[in-house]
Amino acid sequence: MDFQGFQNNLPVIITVIVVALLLLLSWLSYRGYDTISGLSKFFLSSLRASALLILYFLFLNPFFKTEKTIEKPSKIAFFLDDSESTSITKGEYAGSESYLKLLNKIERRKPSNVSLNYFGFSSNIEPIKRDSLALNKPATNLSEVVSYINSLEAYNSAVIISDGIITYGKNPVIEARNSLIPIYTIGIGDTTKVRDLALLNITTNSTGFSNTKHVATIDLSQYGFEGKTISISLFKDDIELQTRELVLSSKKEIESVTFEISLNEPGLNQYIVVIEPIEGEWITSNNKTSFSIDVLDSKTRILHIANSVHPDIKTIRSILAADENFELTSYDFLGKSTSSITDATNFDLVIIHGFPSPTIFTNLGLDIDTLPTLFINLPHTSKIDYNTSFVLVEDLSQQLIKANLYFIGENRNHPILDNIEEVDFTRLAPVYTRTRTKLSKPDATTLISAQLQGVNLSSPLLSLIERGNIRRSELHAFGWYKMFLSNNSNEREFVTVLINNIVSWTATDPDNRLLKIGTSNNTYTVVENPIINASLINENGSIESNATINLTLDSEEATTKTYTLSNIGNGLYKLNLPALPSGKYNYEATAIKEGRSIESQQGAFLVIESSSELANTTRNDEILRGISERSNGLFHPFDDDFSIWDDLKNQNLLGTTTSVEESYLFPVKHVFWFILVLILLASEWMFRKRFSLP
């Protein structure tokens, strides 16, 4: 043990002076007593001085260092593939029997100076014992294994025992080049192909809209059935929706089948794809898979009120009628009603074409102040009341001009202008508007203004406003029918997309939820961890970072579990659920702060079985060899005559390493010294009493 010094900044001279003063003080405290001998004075002074000096040196915080040389054995990490495909008996590989035989061989030949740790992996990684492998996990994520190895510390090397068949995650070969230690791979399984059909992948959008067609492409693999005709069926709730016949090609091992699904029922819909088994298949458990589509109710109910006769009216109605997501009701008021409305209480949008008499809304039972509106101006209308809620633009002149469109640059990213290609507006048919206009609502926004001979007039042509959960827009121009009837397809498409976007945006209820919550996917497999994300604002519209979000999860088996989302800051919350059994799960989340419920929201997701481990049973030596080569390791098939320990020894990875371990001692942290001070002071006190000193 070596003295290293004191943890203080006091000069040495100060320490010497303090020590001298403590010794002097201890001697002077007994010098005046004539009733005791000089030896007794010295003894009592020594007791007091010792206690004071110990306390002073503890105050200076001295520390000591010791060094110890230790030898550490080589530390090797073994990662064992615990997926279902490793248990399949095929060719020379006898499933779990061959796997365990390999592990026993490795264990028997392990050098005594090696520390070996086992990790099991499938979709995740966890430390295990060698004899606890289940070989039944439905996924393999080798990329996660390589990333885990890259984060290891104090290991000399790593060994991966796997069939190399990836069913989940990224390609691990690229990640392997970042490994600081060599990775050795041992391939288990068989490389021969068998006659089999298997569903591989489903490509489709996870969301769709009711009353529309939805396309799903099914990829399947085949080997050994060239020229055979197979049947692929699509089911929903055990009802067969469609069946496709496919003649397998001798030139392709991957085939694709497309289903066009009619989406009718809003909500989370589950579909099952099944290949009808045929004679000679190696296994049939990979002939079935599931997927889901979150079907949204897309029918936007629109009431179009016309107060004049103009070609634009027919143009707008033709554009809207052609979109199956719109349910259009027309109402013409030319002094009297020319059509009737049976239900005027359930519209998502009211289009007002030409300024009408206010009695129209009264007669129809419409509370126009509470409904989203699109107001389209016409050349001949009655006097406009600019205080009306749906009027956004005020005319300052009655003179008409032919104008081109001009997009306001800072508002070019507005959703209404999405999917609108850049066009040369000077080549479009002009529209008619007034020479001078201005916004009648100060909080309205203009997306398109009028341009005359290349000069922006700042006269609004398309304006909009959003107040609370009500959106309003106004087209303050007419003559759109000329674009719609143009021989130029780009011009026709432009006006069609523009009108549809204006209608869709205006009719959409703004998302004013305080609590927004949803899953990262609609569908998970039984090996995945569902993730729920949420964001929260309070009633004042400010980010709420100090609330609690409780979530209740209900399954089809009528089991209910309660969770609390983690607060990750800035009003964001997250919940990583454990892997769940297959089925449909409904959840309800409630945000609470200081006993006050802010808001509740609901949602649903599906968990399906995964047959991906059985879709491909051919050992992938290329992947395993790539991992080893990129990390300076070696690859061996399980049936080669090799010893992993010889490989490691040849690369000097099994020798013990010598290191010097330092440790520091701080007396102030040990109670012994304080007990010693108490003993010294107590001894002084007892001897004072013995000598009858005050």
Side-chain angles (χ1 to χ4, degrees), residues 1-4 63-67 663-667 670 673:
M1 182 180 296
D2 299 322
F3 175 67
Q4 298 295 303
F63 66 101
F64 302 83
K65 182 179 76 171
T66 59
E67 294 182 350
S663 61
Y664 292 88
L665 174 66
F666 295 88
H670 294 268
W673 300 101

Side-chain angles (χ1 to χ4, degrees), residues 468-635:
N469 62 344
I470 300 295
R471 288 176 172 174
R472 303 191 189 281
S473 55
E474 178 173 339
L475 276 173
H476 199 75
F478 48 90
W480 304 99
Y481 71 93
K482 294 182 180 180
M483 296 184 193
F484 187 66
L485 298 177
S486 171
N487 293 326
N488 187 330
S489 60
N490 291 334
E491 194 168 353
R492 295 195 304 272
E493 182 179 2
F494 167 78
V495 70
T496 300
V497 173
L498 179 63
I499 296 300
N500 280 330
N501 284 2
I502 294 172
V503 169
S504 297
W505 180 86
T506 312
T508 302
D509 188 7
D511 191 351
N512 293 323
R513 293 176 298 166
L514 303 179
L515 173 62
K516 299 177 183 178
I517 190 165
T519 53
S520 55
N521 295 309
N522 292 333
T523 305
Y524 299 89
T525 64
V526 292
V527 299
E528 294 179 289
N529 298 98
I531 299 174
I532 297 179
N533 298 300
S535 63
L536 182 65
I537 58 177
N538 57 32
E539 295 86 344
N540 296 324
S542 302
I543 291 174
E544 183 55 74
S545 299
N546 298 311
T548 300
I549 300 180
N550 297 321
L551 183 138
T552 302
L553 186 67
D554 296 318
S555 67
E556 292 177 322
E557 287 73 24
T559 59
T560 301
K561 293 185 178 180
T562 302
Y563 301 89
T564 299
L565 275 69
S566 298
N567 187 340
I568 59 178
N570 200 31
L572 301 178
Y573 300 78
K574 187 174 184 179
L575 173 62
N576 291 317
L577 289 167
L580 299 169
S582 60
K584 183 177 181 180
Y585 292 83
N586 298 297
Y587 62 85
E588 181 174 0
T590 302
I592 300 172
K593 182 179 181 182
E594 298 175 353
R596 182 184 83 256
S597 177
I598 298 177
E599 193 170 68
S600 296
Q601 296 292 342
Q602 297 177 335
F605 61 90
L606 289 173
V607 177
I608 62 174
E609 296 286 350
S610 173
S611 61
S612 55
E613 275 293 314
L614 303 177
N616 178 15
T617 58
T618 303
R619 188 179 75 213
N620 194 330
D621 288 352
E622 182 179 355
I623 288 287
L624 297 173
R625 186 178 287 107
I627 293 173
S628 292
E629 290 177 352
R630 292 294 180 95
S631 61
N632 299 317
L634 293 174
F635 163 74

Side-chain angles (χ1 to χ4, degrees), residues 301-337:
R301 294 169 289 275
I302 301 171
L303 173 62
H304 185 275
I305 300 175
N307 194 42
S308 183
V309 177
H310 194 275
D312 277 359
I313 295 174
K314 183 177 180 181
T315 295
I316 298 299
R317 289 178 177 176
S318 297
I319 291 173
L320 299 181
D323 193 324
E324 59 186 6
N325 291 321
F326 297 145
E327 184 179 306
L328 180 63
T329 300
S330 300
Y331 186 88
D332 299 314
F333 188 83
L334 305 175
K336 62 178 181 178
S337 173

Side-chain angles (χ1 to χ4, degrees), residues 405-425 428 445-449 462 464 494 497-498 501:
L405 309 184
Y406 177 82
F407 282 4
I408 307 299
E410 59 266 27
N411 299 326
R412 185 62 179 88
N413 294 325
H414 193 277
I416 285 181
L417 304 182
D418 279 354
N419 304 319
I420 294 181
E421 301 293 335
E422 293 289 346
V423 295
D424 184 356
F425 294 121
L428 297 180
T445 300
T446 298
L447 301 186
I448 302 176
S449 63
L462 171 59
L464 49 94
F494 167 78
V497 173
L498 179 63
N501 284 2

